[in-house]
Amino acid sequence: MLKKLTSGFLLAFGLVGFSACDQTDLNELIKIAQPAPSTKVNLTAIMSGSQEVPAVSSAATGTFTGVYDKNTNVLTYTVTYTGLTPVAGHLHRGAPGMNGPVIFPFPQLTSPVTATATFTEDDEALLLNNGFYSNLHSAAFPGGEIRGNITVK
């Protein structure tokens, strides 16, 4: 009899304890179990003379790869190229088919170029919506020899 009474008490106590858990606690446990969404965005561009405005005839090629962190507004990028000797290189503000102002000059011009750039909120919106391009200029093409329109990968 004592065993049945103890078992009944434990069962009742367990049901009361379980029913005391509210939905908020369950939702918090679900949030903990799921990874936070990434704040990093991968970016890419293929650089060629055909993307210059106006287009140029050049055998030079290049690539831009980058990772943009939405929390810190920092773009970490690498530009590689072959077939030209650049005299200048930049990240420009401008949509495909449009020329735009230099926003971030490259810190050096030896391939691979690696650097970081900190964006404003307005420029972040442009960067993530095809509003920036990577450009290398040469003595033969001072307006730009190869360009790559930066897109989200």
Side-chain angles (χ1 to χ4, degrees), residues 42 73 121:
N42 292 313
N73 299 78
E121 294 294 325

Side-chain angles (χ1 to χ4, degrees), residues 53-140:
V53 179
V56 301
S57 180
S58 172
T61 59
T63 61
F64 167 96
T65 56
V67 177
Y68 184 73
D69 188 323
K70 292 181 190 180
N71 281 345
T72 62
N73 299 78
V74 173
L75 170 67
T76 302
Y77 64 93
T78 301
V79 175
T80 59
Y81 62 85
T82 61
L84 78 151
T85 302
V87 296
H90 319 98
L91 294 181
H92 292 255
R93 188 183 298 136
M98 305 286 292
N99 287 323
V102 171
I103 305 302
F104 300 106
F106 295 162
Q108 51 90 16
L109 297 173
T110 304
S111 185
V113 176
T114 57
T116 61
T118 302
F119 281 69
T120 64
E121 294 294 325
D122 289 340
D123 280 342
E124 174 186 287
L126 289 173
L127 176 68
L128 299 178
N129 290 289
N130 304 330
F132 266 82
Y133 62 94
S134 174
N135 205 9
L136 287 168
H137 307 258
S138 67

